Amino acid sequence: MSIESVRTYFRPLGREDDILEFSESSATVELAAQAVGVIPARIAKSLSFLTPEGCVLIITAGDAKVDNSKYKHQFGVKAKMLTPEQVVEFTGHAIGGVCPFALSRPDVRTYLDISLQRFDTVFPAAGSANSAIELTCDELERYACNCQGWADLCKGWQAEE
């Protein structure tokens, strides 16, 4: 059970009881926003991609989309999302519950998109399709496995200039 691995991950940090579990699904941005009671943009969605160096996890605001040109500039390859089977293999979490905590492989690199920084707190999943945890952006950066820091990888979340 993936949520149990996330709970165990947060135990030494004193945050395991902060994991929210819902009776309804929170597997999509819209469902998670309804379950938590926030706007969809505050849901920190996890997107997983395959690069020549392995898996990268991009954590972005719920209203943002990966910008292909920014992605290629950052990673040197075209964006290629993982299959559902690869997601479980690399992260240990099934789609709908993917998060940057308690990852099954230590070589998965996590990048946080700057689209999240406009919020005081955000809600990433916590390992299951009906869970989340409220974190500040600083906490997200501190707690995310193998976090590579903040990057500008997305579009669609701010007014075009």
Side-chain angles (χ1 to χ4, degrees), residues 37-53:
V38 297
I39 60 171
R42 286 188 58 201
I43 301 302
K45 66 181 174 183
S46 300
L47 302 172
S48 47
F49 296 89
L50 193 59
T51 70
E53 294 78 35

Side-chain angles (χ1 to χ4, degrees), residues 52-102:
E53 294 78 35
C55 175
V56 295
L57 209 54
I58 298 173
I59 314 303
T60 183
D63 61 347
K65 294 177 175 32
V66 170
D67 181 304
N68 288 325
S69 63
K70 291 178 180 182
Y71 181 96
K72 188 167 185 178
H73 178 76
Q74 176 79 32
F75 300 109
V77 294
K78 184 179 173 187
K80 181 180 184 221
M81 293 195 82
L82 298 179
T83 66
E85 297 78 22
Q86 289 173 316
V87 170
V88 173
E89 175 191 336
F90 279 101
T91 70
H93 307 302
I95 291 175
V98 177
C99 60
F101 320 115

Side-chain angles (χ1 to χ4, degrees), residues 25-40 43 45 62-63:
S25 174
S26 59
T28 67
V29 168
E30 292 75 22
L31 292 172
Q34 288 173 6
V36 174
V38 297
I39 60 171
I43 301 302
K45 66 181 174 183
D63 61 347

Side-chain angles (χ1 to χ4, degrees), residues 128-145:
S128 71
N130 66 328
S131 66
I133 185 168
E134 184 176 16
L135 299 172
T136 66
C137 287
D138 287 343
E139 289 170 333
L140 180 60
E141 183 176 16
R142 198 165 48 247
Y143 300 154
C145 291

